[in-house]
């Protein structure tokens, strides 16, 4: 959500921290700040808004910055206290000798604040983070040792934190600590790093050490020490990061979102790679250790996810019930946490998450794990905290997704669910072999069909221009494409700020039809040959009778379609069951072009963050 970078070493401290923050900026971006250890003093610079404003602030003050040897930086997504320079991190203690940045939420900050005020601490901001600075300074007054002070202080914190700090009296060491929020140490030569995500390190090192909850890291330019909460030194593995710097390039596209939409054919090829070697043979899903015996004892599947991943989960439910006849429940993670669930040791719980760091889903998965369920995680980040909770793991292999609006990770999640549902059907022998062979054959064709959609987007762009001034939309569909309608509406909402609702087409007449008139376009997904086609068409006629503008997303060749609908976005020929994989692409493009025409910040829409690490 927020982003942290700490650096000490031979390089240009400001440059390294700013580059790291730039690579994290997609995660949260209402203000930014940096603390530098320069001429044995801590100097702090902050700015409201995007990182460019902090860069300008540093430029304005460059004459007073001499030769910093270490520093910490932060980009903020506000939780406590509005976005402002005062609330931006780093925060300091009363004497100003210590600077700390923080991701997460300190739940007991009000109590701690009262105690610290009674001890004479002067608070400046409305943030929960500032208590951490005062608390560590208070402990430092007793211990005169920063590592020990951090250890004593974090024992008093309740909630989630990844913190990184420097102190004027402890030259060139940076201390990091974490609990329920990600943090890693980047290992360099003559330099070392602390960061909240690997993308901050990508340009400098491929070697990293992941901190576990309650671990504390102390780094200097040529030493790394990691201890547990009691101060016992830990032997940690240095992992090699999989990403290349090019993963963060826009490759000539105007926005990451457009680049990521265009990457989808290759993403599907990657996901399918090695899984369907021959359509005659079963899919190869070695990651999922579900054999006949486990399946025999399995009485249900629960899928937990948020946002776009939740929509992929809805399609997944449809597929697993349809192909394998297993009962599947889908639950928003934030709802699963606060109810009495029926999860037990004979439940397969699937957590779906692009980032693998979504706090709601991590908490829900931990809850399911405590009930002894088998945990399968589907994520784009096998290096994430969520992945570490998995009994089985399906990595999405979609490459880093930078744009806040999820696109290529959604398509990778969909394909993963098709493979999983086929895998279950093959183990259970629940579908005719010929059906599965045809399905696999058609799946292999999907990338080239998406390429044909991407090769000519003129109709979608014309629709985007025509409808960009409308204030409300309804997206309707039935069956497996209900998930597509919900996802299409979410994409429009989040990047254009237009009110868009996804709805089961058959439910329109039970309420929402009251809203329809010429100001409310209805976008419907119609796949001829499918069992829902005629019924969705009738629902569209009902909308037309109320003067709604009708947009069809369809593979229909029927000329009559043009008489019913105001606009028709054509899909390549596809079976209804596989159509969500194609249908999501024009909907992503429609949202993209509408947001573009409206001049919105496509990749970093307001109020959002790529990875939501608070509940
Ligand atoms: O990383 P996750 O898949 O767990 O994230 C879940 C949602 O926060 C995410 O899908 C969000 O809805 C996106 N902005 C959708 O585009």
């Amino acid at each position: 959500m927020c982003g942290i970078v700490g650096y000490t070493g031979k390089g240009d401290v400001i440059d390294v921290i700013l580059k790291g923050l730039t690579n994290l900026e997609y995660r949260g971006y209402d203000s930014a700040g940096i603390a530098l250890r320069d001429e044995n003093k801590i100097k702090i610079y902050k700015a409201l808004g995007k990182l460019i404003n902090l860069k300008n602030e540093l430029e304005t003050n460059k004459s007073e910055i001499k030769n910093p040897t270490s520093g910490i930086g932060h980009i903020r997504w506000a939780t406590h206290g509005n976005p402002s320079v005062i609330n931006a991190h780093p925060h300091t203690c009363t004497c100003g000798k210590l600077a700390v940045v923080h991701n997460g939420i300190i739940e007991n900050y009000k109590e701690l604040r009262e105690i610290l005020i009674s001890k004479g601490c002067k608070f400046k901001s409305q943030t929960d983070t500032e208590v951490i600075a005062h608390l560590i300074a208070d402990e430092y007054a007793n211990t005169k040792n920063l590592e020990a002070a951090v250890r004593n202080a974090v024992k008093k914190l309740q909630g989630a934190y990844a913190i990184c700090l420097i102190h004027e009296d402890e030259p060139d060491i940076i201390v990091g600590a974490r609990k329920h929020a990600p943090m890693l140490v980047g290992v360099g030569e003559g330099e070392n790093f602390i960061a909240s995500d690997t993308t901050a390190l990508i340009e400098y090192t491929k070697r990293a050490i992941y901190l576990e909850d309650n671990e504390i890291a102390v780094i200097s330019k040529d030493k790394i020490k990691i201890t547990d909460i009691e101060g016992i030194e830990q032997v940690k593995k240095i992992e090699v990061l999989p990403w290349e710097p090019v993963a963060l390039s826009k490759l000539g596209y105007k926005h990451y979102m457009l680049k990521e939409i265009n990457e989808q054919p290759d993403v599907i090829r990657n996901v399918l790679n090695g899984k369907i070697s021959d359509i005659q043979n079963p899919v190869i899903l070695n990651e999922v250790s579900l054999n006949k015996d486990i399946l025999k004892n399995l009485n249900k599947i629960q899928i937990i996810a948020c946002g776009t991943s939740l929509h992929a989960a809805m399609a997944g439910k449809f597929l697993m019930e349809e192909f394998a006849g297993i009962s599947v429940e889908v639950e928003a993670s934030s709802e699963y946490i606060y109810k009495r669930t029926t999860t037990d040791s004979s439940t397969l719980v699937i957590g779906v998450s692009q980032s693998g760091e979504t706090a709601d889903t991590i908490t829900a998965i931990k809850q399911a794990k405590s009930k002894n369920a088998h945990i399968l995680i589907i994520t784009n980040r096998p290096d994430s905290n969520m992945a570490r909770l998995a009994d089985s793991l399906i990595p999405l292999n979609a490459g880093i997704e930078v744009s806040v609006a999820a696109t290529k990770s959604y398509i990778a999640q969909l394909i993963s669910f098709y493979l999983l549902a086929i895998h279950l059907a093959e183990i259970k022998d629940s579908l005719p072999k010929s059906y599965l062979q045809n399905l696999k054959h058609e799946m292999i064709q999907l990338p080239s069909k998406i390429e044909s959609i991407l090769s000519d987007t003129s109709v979608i762009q014309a629709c985007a221009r025509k409808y960009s001034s409308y204030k409300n939309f309804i997206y309707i569909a039935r069956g497996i494409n209900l998930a597509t309608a919900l996802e299409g509406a979410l994409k429009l909402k989040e990047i254009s700020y237009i009110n868009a609702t996804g709805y089961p087409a058959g439910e329109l007449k039970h309420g929402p039809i009251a809203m329809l008139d010429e100001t409310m376009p209805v976008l419907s997904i119609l796949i001829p040959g499918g069992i829902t086609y005629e019924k969705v068409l009738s629902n569209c006629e009902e909308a037309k009778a109320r003067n709604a503008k009708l947009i069809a997303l369809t593979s229909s060749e029927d000329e009559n379609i043009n008489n019913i609908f105001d606009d028709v976005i054509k899909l390549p020929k596809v079976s209804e069951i596989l159509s969500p994989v194609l249908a999501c692409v024009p909907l992503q493009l429609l949202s993209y072009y509408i947001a573009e025409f409206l001049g919105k910040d496509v990749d970093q829409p307001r109020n959002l963050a790529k990875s939501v690490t608070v509940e």
Side-chain angles (χ1 to χ4, degrees):
M1 207 140 198
C2 308
I4 289 176
V5 184
Y7 176 74
T8 177
K10 59 189 180 192
D12 179 330
V13 174
I14 296 181
D15 197 49
V16 173
I17 293 175
L18 287 180
K19 274 206 184 113
L21 291 179
T22 304
N23 290 347
L24 293 177
E25 199 182 13
Y26 68 100
R27 300 176 67 114
Y29 32 76
D30 58 46
S31 53
I34 192 166
L36 302 168
R37 192 187 157 79
D38 186 31
E39 297 181 307
N40 294 326
K41 288 263 169 266
I42 301 286
K43 295 179 182 166
I44 293 181
Y45 302 91
K46 301 183 188 185
L48 187 60
K50 295 219 166 189
L51 202 53
I52 184 72
N53 300 341
L54 177 65
K55 290 178 184 166
N56 293 339
E57 180 70 13
L58 286 162
E59 187 58 29
T60 309
N61 291 291
K62 71 175 178 207
S63 60
E64 69 182 42
I65 304 170
K66 302 298 177 216
N67 194 15
T69 47
S70 56
I72 54 176
H74 188 262
I75 43 173
R76 178 172 187 248
W77 185 88
T79 58
H80 293 64
N82 62 340
S84 67
V85 172
I86 293 271
N87 288 334
H89 303 205
H91 289 284
T92 57
C93 56
T94 311
C95 70
K97 285 188 165 194
L98 179 149
V100 65
V101 293
H102 164 227
N103 289 354
I105 289 179
I106 303 304
E107 286 160 7
N108 59 337
Y109 84 102
K110 283 191 182 137
E111 298 91 290
L112 291 171
R113 196 178 159 110
E114 290 311 311
I115 296 168
L116 290 160
I117 287 173
S118 72
K119 289 182 165 187
C121 295
K122 302 270 180 285
F123 278 77
K124 298 184 202 93
S125 76
Q126 292 103 48
T127 65
D128 53 338
T129 303
E130 199 180 345
V131 297
I132 305 174
H134 290 288
L135 195 59
I136 297 173
D138 189 49
E139 294 291 342
Y140 190 77
N142 303 325
T143 59
K144 298 286 178 234
N145 175 305
L146 193 56
E147 182 189 335
V150 171
R151 182 168 298 114
N152 293 345
V154 294
K155 284 181 181 165
K156 296 181 180 164
L157 299 178
Q158 286 165 16
Y161 59 82
I163 56 172
C164 187
L165 58 137
I166 51 178
H167 194 291
E168 217 165 85
D169 297 341
E170 301 255 355
D172 294 328
I173 66 161
I174 303 179
V175 182
R178 67 152 273 186
K179 188 176 178 190
H180 305 323
M183 173 156 274
L184 71 160
V185 173
V187 184
E189 280 174 20
E191 58 182 358
N192 287 309
F193 310 75
I194 288 183
S196 52
D197 189 23
T198 48
T199 47
L201 306 179
I202 207 164
E203 296 185 37
Y204 299 101
T205 180
K206 284 185 102 107
R207 300 190 308 146
I209 299 169
Y210 289 89
L211 294 191
E212 300 295 332
D213 277 351
N214 296 315
E215 284 184 340
I216 294 169
V218 180
I219 67 162
S220 60
K221 70 179 172 28
D222 36 36
K223 198 167 169 225
I224 294 169
K225 180 182 158 201
I226 294 169
T227 54
D228 69 8
I229 196 85
E230 301 307 333
I232 298 166
E233 197 157 343
Q234 305 292 298
V235 180
K236 303 284 291 187
K237 192 173 151 219
I238 298 182
E239 317 236 1
V240 178
L241 304 176
W243 319 108
E244 297 296 336
V246 71
L248 289 172
S249 143
K250 281 192 197 149
L251 296 178
Y253 288 98
K254 187 168 180 194
H255 295 102
Y256 282 109
M257 182 177 179
L258 193 57
K259 172 193 166 223
E260 287 159 4
I261 291 172
N262 276 277
E263 283 172 344
Q264 293 180 115
D266 282 340
V267 166
I268 297 179
R269 289 187 184 105
N270 270 350
V271 182
L272 291 180
N273 187 20
K275 307 281 193 317
I276 302 179
S277 57
D278 178 344
I279 59 167
Q280 318 277 346
N281 294 334
V283 296
I284 302 162
L285 215 56
N286 294 336
E287 301 95 332
V288 185
S289 44
L290 292 172
N291 54 32
K292 271 200 165 124
D293 291 337
I294 297 183
L295 269 181
K296 235 186 265 158
N297 296 326
L298 195 76
N299 61 16
K300 72 170 159 304
I301 297 176
Q302 293 174 322
I303 320 180
I304 313 172
C306 305
T308 289
S309 299
L310 184 64
H311 298 148
M314 291 171 71
K317 166 185 161 72
F318 191 98
L319 291 168
M320 287 188 279
E321 290 185 338
E322 192 79 5
F323 291 1
I326 303 175
S327 164
V328 183
E329 295 165 9
V330 173
E331 195 89 66
S333 312
S334 51
E335 292 300 313
Y336 178 92
I337 299 167
Y338 295 105
K339 63 192 271 199
R340 184 168 166 187
T341 59
T342 53
T343 311
D344 60 21
S345 58
S346 53
T347 313
L348 168 66
V349 172
I350 307 178
V352 192
S353 173
Q354 186 287 127
S355 63
E357 299 296 352
T358 301
D360 289 324
T361 309
I362 289 182
T363 306
I365 291 294
K366 283 183 179 162
Q367 214 162 291
K369 211 172 165 65
S370 73
K371 295 186 168 180
N372 300 319
H374 183 97
I375 306 290
L376 166 63
I377 300 293
I378 301 178
T379 181
N380 200 28
R381 299 298 297 265
D383 55 340
S384 62
N385 278 307
M386 208 180 296
R388 282 154 209 268
L389 299 171
D391 298 309
S392 312
L393 181 74
I394 300 186
L396 293 174
N397 293 326
I400 293 179
E401 189 175 67
V402 174
S403 186
V404 164
T407 53
K408 63 177 180 172
S409 61
Y410 178 68
I411 223 158
Q413 288 166 347
L414 285 182
I415 297 292
S416 300
F417 272 120
Y418 282 96
L419 290 170
L420 182 59
I422 295 173
H423 181 62
L424 295 177
E426 285 174 335
I427 293 174
K428 290 192 75 182
D429 213 3
S430 52
L431 281 177
K433 286 211 165 39
S434 57
Y435 178 88
L436 290 169
Q437 283 171 9
N438 289 339
L439 191 70
K440 288 178 210 170
H441 177 73
E442 202 187 340
M443 280 175 76
I444 296 167
Q445 321 289 316
L446 290 171
S448 58
K449 290 186 180 176
I450 294 178
E451 272 158 357
S452 85
I453 297 172
L454 295 169
S455 67
D456 181 5
T457 58
S458 54
V459 172
I460 301 170
Q461 291 197 49
C463 265
R465 196 171 286 116
K466 177 171 168 185
Y467 290 100
S468 57
S469 58
Y470 284 77
K471 302 283 177 256
N472 300 290
F473 281 75
I474 290 198
Y475 286 46
I476 58 166
R478 287 181 181 228
I480 190 162
N481 274 312
L482 174 58
T484 319
L486 294 171
E487 174 56 13
L490 175 65
K491 284 287 89 78
L492 186 61
K493 274 189 278 237
E494 65 181 338
I495 61 168
S496 69
Y497 321 143
I498 291 171
N499 176 27
T501 311
Y503 229 80
E507 280 289 298
L508 204 60
K509 57 186 175 296
H510 296 291
I513 202 166
M515 298 189 297
L516 296 189
D517 61 18
E518 62 289 344
T519 67
M520 173 85 92
V522 176
L523 187 151
S524 51
I525 304 163
L526 303 108
I527 308 299
I531 52 169
T532 66
Y533 180 76
E534 296 298 339
K535 286 279 189 293
V536 179
L537 203 54
S538 308
N539 301 138
C540 293
E541 296 277 16
E542 290 154 16
K544 192 178 175 71
R546 272 83 188 172
N547 295 326
K549 293 265 177 292
L550 293 190
I551 309 166
L553 177 59
T554 182
S555 51
S556 172
E557 301 288 339
D558 183 355
E559 287 297 314
N560 196 31
I561 282 280
N562 294 319
N563 301 330
I564 303 172
F565 290 88
D566 296 277
D567 291 278
V568 177
I569 300 173
K570 287 298 288 288
L571 284 174
K573 201 163 180 294
V574 63
S575 65
E576 185 179 40
I577 196 76
L578 281 174
S579 63
V581 183
L582 299 193
C584 67
V585 179
L587 298 183
Q588 295 164 347
L589 287 165
L590 184 67
S591 306
Y592 172 80
Y593 286 117
I594 288 180
E596 244 286 81
F597 289 136
L598 294 175
K600 304 295 183 205
D601 189 344
V602 173
D603 283 333
Q604 297 182 348
R606 70 182 182 202
N607 304 341
L608 291 177
K610 183 67 183 164
S611 160
V612 185
T613 51
V614 292
E615 286 177 41

